Amino acid sequence: MKNGSCPKCGSSEVYAGTEVFPKSGPFTCNAIPVSLTAMAPLDNYVCTACGYVESYISQEEDIDRIRQKWPPVQPSNESTAQDEDE
Ligand SMILES: [Zn+2]
C-alpha cells in the first residue's frame, strides 16, 4: 500500500494521510492504545477506488514500546503437521 498500489483491488488510486493533524488526541481515534499511558498515532493509507484502509504506526519508538509491552503472536501452520518432519 505504501508503494501506491492497493493490495485488494490493484488500483493505484492510493492516498496517504501521513500529514493529517491531529493524528491522535481526545477527539480522534486515529491511534491505537499501546499501554495504559501511551497511544501510538497511525498513518493511514486509503484506496479511493475500493475504500480499503491500511494503517501503520508512524513513530519508531511506539513500535519499540509494543515490542516490550505486547506478547508476540506465535506463527502457526494449521494445514501442515509439523511433527511429521522430525
Ligand atoms: Zn482498492
Side-chain angles (χ1 to χ4, degrees), residues 1 6-11 13-14 47-52:
M1 198 87 167
C6 176
K8 297 296 182 186
C9 72
S11 168
E13 297 282 314
V14 175
C47 171
T48 57
C50 72
Y52 181 67

